[in-house]
DNA sequence: TCTCAATGTAAAGCTTGCTTTACATTTGAA
DNA sequence: TTCAAATGTAAAGCAAGCTTTACATTGAGA
């Protein structure tokens, strides 16, 4: 699963820590998701999409 | 997190077992998701949306 | 009514998402 | 150049997603 978080984060001028605070996860979680270490849970994906005012489909690219 | 899986499954004439096979999870997983026992992972949500040809946002309603 | 498919549910166990703590590396602004 | 903020990473531990096995309940058609 790929994602556009790093780019969007830059567009919105947010640090990993800022974003983490906004969606109430740890900074390490944001880092891990950006780095592709693991996929977020569905609730976390919804909160991320809400911050960037986009759909989950625009934020994440599913790869079988 | 609420979801419309049960309705859509009826519309598409699929049993829980059918749907489970389609997205390669166990029947119990489908049952648990329908019953709200837990939220699916993001990959599982993507596969569910693909079966019903809808978006994740149409399939799941996030509740903080 | 009988019966078989579909659904509900439970327990044990594995994997993954996420946390906290902690430290190293990179980067950019003064 | 230096120093602080931002990022990267790692380990241990808890919580959630999912599996397998197994059995009970519901429901609809013969």
């Amino acid at each position: 699963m790929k994602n556009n978080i790093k780019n969007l984060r830059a567009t919105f001028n947010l640090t990993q820590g800022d974003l983490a605070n906004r969606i109430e996860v740890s900074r390490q979680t944001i880092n891990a998701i950006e780095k592709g270490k693991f996929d977020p849970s569905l609730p976390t994906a919804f909160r991320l999409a809400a911050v960037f005012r986009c759909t989950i489909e625009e934020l994440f690219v599913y790869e079988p």
Side-chain angles (χ1 to χ4, degrees), chain A residues 10-29:
Chain A
T11 303
F12 281 69
N13 265 296
L14 296 173
T15 67
Q16 291 182 347
D18 292 336
L19 181 53
N21 289 336
R22 287 264 216 127
I23 69 169
E24 292 178 306
V25 296
S26 69
R27 180 182 65 80
Q28 286 78 350
T29 291

Side-chain angles (χ1 to χ4, degrees), chain A residues 24-62:
Chain A
E24 292 178 306
V25 296
S26 69
R27 180 182 65 80
Q28 286 78 350
T29 291
I30 299 297
N31 189 281
I33 294 169
E34 280 191 8
K35 289 278 165 183
K37 299 263 175 70
F38 54 69
D39 299 322
S41 70
L42 189 53
T44 297
F46 264 99
R47 287 186 237 118
L48 282 167
V51 167
F52 298 126
R53 304 188 182 292
C54 69
T55 63
I56 290 178
E57 287 80 2
E58 284 165 347
L59 199 45
F60 298 93
V61 181
Y62 177 63

